[in-house]
Amino acid sequence: MAKKERDQEITLKTPDEIAKMRVAGKLAADVLDMIGEYVKPGVTTDELDRICHDYIVNVQQAIPAPLNYGEPPFPKSICTSVNHVICHGIPSDKKLKEGDAINIDITVIKDGYHGDTSKMFHVGKPSIAAKRLSDITQQCMYLGILEVRPGATFGAIGKVIQKHAHNNRFSVVEEFCGHGIGSRFHEAPQILHYYSKDSDKLIMQAGMIFTIEPMINQGRRDLKIMPDKWTAVTKDHKLSAQWEHTVLVTQDGFEILTLRAEEAEWRSTL
Ligand code: MF3
Ligand code: CO
Ligand code: CO
């Protein structure tokens, strides 16, 4: 989400709300599992949007949260961000081609609660540079998640993400951040993916639910918003990657509500 000025209150979820967030998170993860086989050279992002939309509405009997969200209303049901698009790419009739890297970002609403998750896909064989950027970005997300526990500060998340990105000579996008999530798509707090003293003032508590969704650039961090008012692209047109999970603060650590089966061994990738 776009960084904002005004803070609202952070809600602690009740056990009943957490149960609903687990269901919504699982459904969002399932959409990413489902769409993988369609991400092939020649497919358009409109076709990916339609397949996801139909699956969410007809199979999951859920609502695609992006559709008509925000101002101007987002026109599609998923975000598809290809190559130098940082986030909020709008599906179109443009075909994917061999070597493209695409982030697909899924948010579903089920029983009034949101699940939000995204991953990178490579179309055909990835370039070494695109694979490295994508892998490091995924590690940034996991390293951020490992900082989640009651009593920790939100600054700890940004600190480890920024360190890992910079160690690999990549930059961190600062204009968009993770967010609290629940009955609303974007709730307080904002989760910065870079270190700021201010985010050390805020302490994690059991029952908080928020996303961690770093956007990491191959070149400079600077971005431009396209005339459609949504699509964010790198100013230097170099690659950008993003991964996202929805995470619950538990009594002794965290639970990833949007984890997919393919990630079972995620700790061994760090
Ligand atoms: N899913 C995005 C996020 O992670 C938000 C997309 S807003 C939309 O916060 F309107 F573009 F869908
Ligand atoms: Co999000
Ligand atoms: Co998202």
Side-chain angles (χ1 to χ4, degrees):
M1 67 171 287
K3 229 165 59 184
K4 287 205 285 274
E5 301 303 320
R6 210 158 40 87
D7 283 347
Q8 316 136 304
E9 233 168 80
I10 304 174
T11 63
L12 295 183
K13 271 67 181 178
T14 65
D16 177 58
E17 289 181 298
I18 290 169
K20 288 177 176 169
M21 289 296 287
R22 267 194 199 103
V23 172
K26 170 80 168 79
L27 291 178
D30 286 348
V31 179
L32 288 178
D33 278 335
M34 178 280 299
I35 200 64
E37 66 174 288
Y38 299 99
V39 183
K40 290 279 145 59
V43 74
T44 68
T45 46
D46 269 343
E47 286 162 349
L48 298 176
D49 177 67
R50 187 192 46 80
I51 296 164
C52 290
H53 177 94
D54 290 349
Y55 189 81
I56 293 166
V57 170
N58 300 326
V59 178
Q60 299 186 330
Q61 304 199 304
I63 299 165
L67 189 59
N68 295 317
Y69 180 79
E71 195 44 50
F74 192 81
K76 300 290 165 103
S77 296
I78 65 172
C79 296
T80 52
S81 301
V82 180
N83 296 336
H84 69 292
V85 179
I86 294 170
C87 64
H88 302 168
I90 301 175
S92 75
D93 58 6
K94 193 162 170 210
K95 289 184 162 86
L96 294 179
K97 56 180 195 311
E98 177 79 24
D100 280 345
I102 176 177
N103 172 280
I104 300 184
D105 192 339
I106 303 291
T107 312
V108 306
I109 310 170
K110 181 73 172 181
D111 209 1
Y113 287 83
H114 292 73
D116 187 8
T117 184
S118 80
K119 70 173 269 192
M120 297 298 298
F121 295 88
H122 297 282
V123 182
K125 192 172 143 35
S127 70
I128 287 171
K131 178 80 166 69
R132 195 173 84 87
L133 177 64
S134 170
D135 288 352
I136 298 293
T137 305
Q138 188 180 27
Q139 289 166 4
C140 283
M141 175 191 65
Y142 289 142
L143 289 169
I145 291 171
L146 282 172
E147 295 302 316
V148 175
R149 69 186 79 90
T153 75
F154 282 94
I157 296 174
K159 196 180 285 181
V160 293
I161 290 174
Q162 186 169 51
K163 179 161 173 249
H164 193 55
H166 288 178
N167 281 346
N168 287 280
R169 281 168 283 106
F170 294 141
S171 62
V172 179
V173 172
E174 298 188 359
E175 286 83 351
F176 297 97
C177 48
H179 49 92
I181 183 167
S183 60
R184 283 170 302 137
F185 195 162
H186 295 110
E187 302 184 354
Q190 306 195 67
I191 314 300
L192 305 186
H193 303 116
Y194 59 95
Y195 181 67
S196 136
K197 270 191 191 154
D198 281 352
S199 47
D200 270 341
K201 292 180 195 151
L202 196 59
I203 308 292
M204 296 177 212
Q205 287 174 260
M208 287 180 179
I209 300 181
F210 50 84
T211 71
I212 298 178
E213 49 180 299
M215 285 142 274
I216 305 295
N217 292 354
Q218 189 181 37
R220 299 179 62 87
R221 70 172 181 83
D222 308 68
L223 63 76
K224 226 170 39 185
I225 305 289
M226 299 301 281
D228 62 28
K229 304 262 184 77
W230 280 104
T231 312
V233 302
T234 57
K235 222 175 193 172
D236 59 14
H237 276 220
K238 292 186 182 220
L239 297 176
S240 184
Q242 182 178 26
W243 292 77
E244 176 176 24
H245 273 313
T246 299
V247 180
L248 162 72
V249 185
T250 61
Q251 294 302 329
D252 58 356
F254 62 84
E255 179 181 335
I256 304 175
L257 301 183
T258 45
L259 198 71
R260 302 178 303 282
E262 67 181 5
E263 298 176 273
E265 302 299 318
W266 66 270
R267 286 169 194 269
S268 69
T269 67
L270 299 175

